[in-house]
Amino acid sequence: MDLTTSLQKLAAYRPKQSQKSKETFEKGVALLEHGGYLKQGDEGWDALERLALAALDQDNLEVADRCLELIAERFPGSPRVDCLIGIRMEATESPDVVLKYYDELLEADSSNAAAWRRKVSVLRKMGKVDRAVEELSALLDTFYTDVEGWLELADLYASCSQYVPILLISDAQNLMSARYTYALQSLSHALLLAPQNPSHFLQFAETAYLAGDITLSLKMFLTVVDMTDDDDGDVSPSDSIPTGMTLRAWFGVKLCTRRLLTEPRLLTSSGSQTPAPSSSNISTLDDLSTERLRTAYLDIKNESPPATEKELIAVLATLIK
Amino acid sequence: MSSSTPHALAESLCILTLKSGIWVLFPITVVMIMVGILRHYIVLMLQSPPKKQPRAAIREQRALIRSQIIRATSANSPIPPTYYKSISQHLSQAFADGTYLKDGPPKGDAPAPTAPNPLTDPAAMDGMMAGMKTQMVMMVPQMVIMGWINFFFQGFVLIKLPFPLTLGFKSMLQRGVETPDMDVRWVSSLSWYFLNFFGLNGLYRLILGGENSADSSRDMTTPFAAAANIAQPGQAQDFNKLFKAERDNLEFAEGLYSWVGKDVDTRILKKYGRLPGEVPR
């Protein structure tokens, strides 16, 4: 792993208490006891770093401290270690102290992107969302290619309602869509940076749906379908069974077409002025997506799907989660 | 003795020196390897860590990447027209205003900044000094070794190659021994030095890894390449000019722009056989 990607990973670190960290932790502790890491050379240090993060994730500060001590002894003054120490501090110290630590790091080297990202996440945890947004925007203005950063910015916009320029707040509906429009803008940067990743498209489509821009959302969902369905396989696309992301995209298509068919107002009220598909195309897409969803349901549950559309959507909504 | 040809005489002399030659052959090789390894570590010590750049400088340098990224996919862009236009025009405007310039937007009447002289610019000077230091570390020990060989072992014949060679190799293998009659297979001390000089790189790579700075023959072939490489980033680029040029590219890319989702509904319907036109596979 080279330095930049490791720093980016560290910067994007967030405690999750996941199953995976538990596994890493249990395996790692045994190795740590035997001093096995020190014999492996560079890979050992990488593994030790992972163990430290996993230990923090599992709230085992003792093990984390031992790992950190070993690492800090070997690599004094490395930005990666500074960042790890910061993450360790976040576990016990008050946010103000940690924030000060990161500020000091940034003062010493104003281009330390990892410390900058950590600062943003601390700000976010403290609830200072507006400052987090401000810092993250400045960071992305300098380090444009940080896809994770753009996704986080989109997430920040979508999850908070505090930070929207005052001018735009005229009523609740506007407020909602303004939030999501900002999120969409951030996501479009992520799309530009990684146009090969369908999950960003899916996120864009879902955000557009929430923003009430149904025609844009429909097109994006269809793009995801186009990207993820297995059209290189032996079966023709119409005989394949949608799974995973494709299924989720078809579900999105279904939701969009239903809303477009029931609320014709939405055909022309797109915030991004995305032209709607022709009405015959919409109804055909509606049929097609129903058929796709039924196929998927049959495959997952092994029973015939519910007859009405409403029930089908309700049942699938629980399946896709 | 009187019946022996000059050729045979030289041969027997060579055999005489060959015995002592063994005591020269290995020391020369060992000393050269040692010096190479030592040189590697000295160069490592001399290398100063790359200078940290302030935030504004990084921002200036990376601004062009933004436009390159949006241009790269513009013919099949993943983002819808309104978003593309807003990003593209915002960038274009920023380039025109010089928002991304390190020292802020340029003043209207200020003289065009000239590239600083690399000899007076301290930043560029550092780079040149580093190159010079590396050069010195390379030159000095090689000169010393060559002097040592020339002084003590001049005219020594070290080994006899186990295979015959044509006369053309004489100048390569018998440097320092001006004997026209001697068999080409004999290798002189100075030639042995040169063979080592050019041939030890493989050994260094085994001992020190691929990115070592022990091999001096590489620097020898491109004497000032090292210095030139380091001096390059010191040379000031006129970002203002680059930005202005990039605006044209952005405009061109905007002309090529088409959204990947433009006809995606018809495409999907055709793919799934719901529209006449394309036969599904």
Side-chain angles (χ1 to χ4, degrees):
Chain A
M1 228 195 302
D2 67 315
L3 186 65
T4 343
T5 45
S6 332
L7 278 176
Q8 269 181 8
K9 283 226 172 88
L10 269 185
Y13 166 78
R14 206 178 291 167
K16 287 188 223 78
Q17 295 263 358
S18 65
Q19 188 65 34
K20 212 171 156 195
S21 77
K22 203 172 173 189
E23 270 171 36
T24 319
F25 178 70
E26 278 159 8
K27 274 186 209 149
V29 168
L31 258 177
L32 186 69
E33 297 298 331
H34 297 108
Y37 283 120
L38 307 179
K39 291 174 200 146
Q40 287 175 18
D42 287 352
E43 274 171 42
W45 295 110
D46 259 349
L48 205 56
E49 183 187 1
R50 276 199 297 277
L51 174 61
L53 290 176
L56 283 177
D57 206 29
Q58 298 293 323
D59 278 335
N60 193 326
L61 297 176
E62 191 209 343
V63 173
D65 281 343
R66 272 171 61 196
C67 296
L68 264 177
E69 241 166 65
L70 284 173
I71 297 174
E73 207 172 290
R74 173 72 178 78
F75 305 101
S78 139
R80 209 161 142 182
V81 175
D82 288 343
C83 196
L84 259 182
I85 292 174
I87 293 175
R88 163 68 185 79
M89 282 169 79
E90 282 171 39
T92 50
E93 306 289 328
S94 75
D96 293 308
V97 177
V98 186
L99 210 56
K100 209 168 150 236
Y101 172 74
Y102 286 132
D103 276 335
E104 273 164 21
L105 281 186
L106 282 172
E107 209 160 296
D109 172 15
S110 65
S111 57
N112 188 342
W116 207 352
R117 274 294 298 279
R118 296 306 314 165
K119 188 179 164 191
V120 171
S121 81
V122 172
L123 282 173
R124 187 178 182 176
K125 241 183 285 167
M126 288 166 77
K128 294 183 178 167
V129 181
D130 46 349
R131 276 212 44 211
V133 166
E134 215 171 277
E135 289 282 340
L136 192 55
S137 312
L139 174 113
L140 290 170
D141 193 37
T142 310
F143 300 98
Y144 180 72
T145 49
D146 187 354
V147 183
E148 297 273 324
W150 284 112
L151 291 179
E152 184 165 351
L153 185 61
D155 190 41
L156 267 173
Y157 276 130
S159 64
C160 74
S161 48
Q162 289 112 313
Y163 186 75
V164 166
I166 311 283
L167 281 176
L168 290 165
I169 307 176
S170 52
D171 58 296
Q173 180 61 39
N174 254 353
L175 178 86
M176 287 275 286
S177 60
R179 255 165 62 190
Y180 289 122
T181 313
Y182 276 100
L184 283 178
Q185 272 166 5
S186 314
L187 278 176
S188 64
H189 287 286
L191 281 183
L192 279 177
L193 286 166
Q196 74 283 15
N197 191 337
S199 65
H200 299 166
F201 279 90
L202 193 63
Q203 203 179 339
F204 192 99
E206 285 168 355
T207 313
Y209 187 85
L210 289 174
D213 197 340
I214 305 297
T215 46
L216 176 65
S217 173
L218 174 63
K219 295 237 175 185
M220 276 303 188
F221 275 125
L222 285 171
T223 316
V224 179
V225 169
D226 201 16
M227 284 172 90
T228 55
D229 63 354
D230 183 21
D231 49 2
D232 298 324
D234 303 326
V235 254
S236 71
S238 45
D239 294 332
S240 63
I241 299 156
T243 51
M245 218 182 284
T246 324
L247 177 57
R248 205 167 152 148
W250 275 120
F251 185 72
V253 172
K254 177 72 201 164
L255 291 182
C256 289
T257 49
R258 254 179 71 90
R259 281 196 65 182
L260 286 177
L261 288 175
T262 49
E263 302 169 56
R265 184 183 62 87
L266 289 169
L267 286 171
T268 49
S269 70
S270 156
S272 61
Q273 281 117 41
T274 310
S278 67
S279 54
S280 68
N281 269 4
I282 293 181
S283 50
T284 330
L285 276 172
D286 189 50
D287 284 347
L288 178 60
S289 56
T290 313
E291 185 261 329
R292 297 277 81 202
L293 291 177
R294 279 169 178 276
T295 319
Y297 184 88
L298 202 65
D299 183 59
I300 298 172
K301 286 272 189 167
N302 263 330
E303 58 185 66
S304 60
T308 62
E309 269 185 4
K310 224 175 196 158
E311 276 174 53
L312 181 68
I313 289 177
V315 173
L316 273 166
T318 59
L319 280 181
I320 288 169
K321 278 279 143 40
Chain B
M1 205 59 162
S2 58
S3 64
S4 61
T5 58
H7 183 81
L9 183 69
E11 194 90 343
S12 55
L13 272 174
C14 285
I15 290 167
L16 270 181
T17 55
L18 193 57
K19 292 230 168 76
S20 55
I22 295 295
W23 293 100
V24 179
L25 177 83
F26 290 110
I28 289 181
T29 315
V30 170
V31 164
M32 288 193 70
I33 292 173
M34 290 303 198
V35 167
I37 292 172
L38 194 69
R39 173 183 134 85
H40 172 71
Y41 287 110
I42 291 179
V43 168
L44 276 191
M45 263 167 34
L46 285 181
Q47 263 165 4
S48 48
K51 256 208 197 131
K52 302 261 191 233
Q53 282 182 307
R55 215 177 260 181
I58 293 182
R59 184 162 169 262
E60 180 184 69
Q61 264 177 19
R62 300 199 174 181
L64 279 180
I65 300 178
R66 306 175 67 137
S67 129
Q68 275 156 16
I69 285 169
I70 193 174
R71 283 197 291 120
T73 50
S74 76
N76 246 323
S77 186
I79 57 174
T82 38
Y83 293 93
Y84 183 92
K85 285 223 177 69
S86 82
I87 294 176
S88 169
Q89 277 160 11
H90 172 255
L91 264 181
S92 177
Q93 189 59 40
F95 284 159
D97 297 347
T99 321
Y100 286 111
L101 289 174
K102 186 168 53 183
D103 309 319
K107 317 268 181 306
D109 52 349
T114 48
N117 185 349
L119 286 176
T120 53
D121 187 11
M125 207 60 194
D126 274 1
M128 299 234 305
M129 280 309 285
M132 295 296 267
K133 271 188 254 174
T134 327
Q135 291 281 309
M136 288 315 286
V137 177
M138 189 272 293
M139 296 298 272
V140 171
Q142 294 305 343
M143 271 155 66
V144 170
I145 295 178
M146 216 164 137
W148 169 62
I149 290 171
N150 255 338
F151 191 80
F152 289 104
F153 312 126
Q154 193 168 34
F156 273 48
V157 174
L158 301 190
I159 42 168
K160 188 180 187 190
L161 295 178
F163 44 83
L165 284 167
T166 55
L167 218 62
F169 285 94
K170 204 168 178 65
S171 61
M172 178 176 131
L173 294 179
Q174 293 178 356
R175 184 151 306 195
V177 183
E178 316 299 339
T179 319
D181 284 346
M182 199 161 66
D183 190 354
V184 186
R185 289 157 70 190
W186 298 102
V187 180
S188 75
S189 57
L190 202 58
S191 294
W192 180 245
Y193 163 77
F194 278 113
L195 286 182
N196 278 329
F197 182 74
F198 290 110
L200 277 179
N201 192 21
L203 197 67
Y204 291 139
R205 226 177 293 162
L206 273 183
I207 303 173
L208 301 169
E211 283 292 312
N212 69 70
S213 40
D215 181 32
S216 39
S217 62
R218 195 179 32 204
D219 295 341
M220 200 66 153
T221 47
T222 52
F224 290 102
N229 272 342
I230 295 163
Q232 198 59 45
Q235 235 145 54
Q237 284 166 296
D238 188 353
F239 275 100
N240 201 11
K241 238 178 234 166
L242 287 176
F243 287 159
K244 295 268 151 64
E246 191 60 31
R247 288 190 66 201
D248 291 343
N249 290 337
L250 268 180
E251 212 167 297
F252 184 62
E254 209 174 314
L256 284 177
Y257 167 80
S258 94
W259 181 28
V260 80
K262 197 173 159 223
D263 294 318
V264 72
D265 46 323
T266 3
R267 206 158 65 231
I268 288 285
L269 285 175
K270 273 183 188 158
K271 196 168 173 183
Y272 284 84
R274 295 299 175 103
L275 269 192
E278 199 174 301
V279 184
R281 282 184 301 125

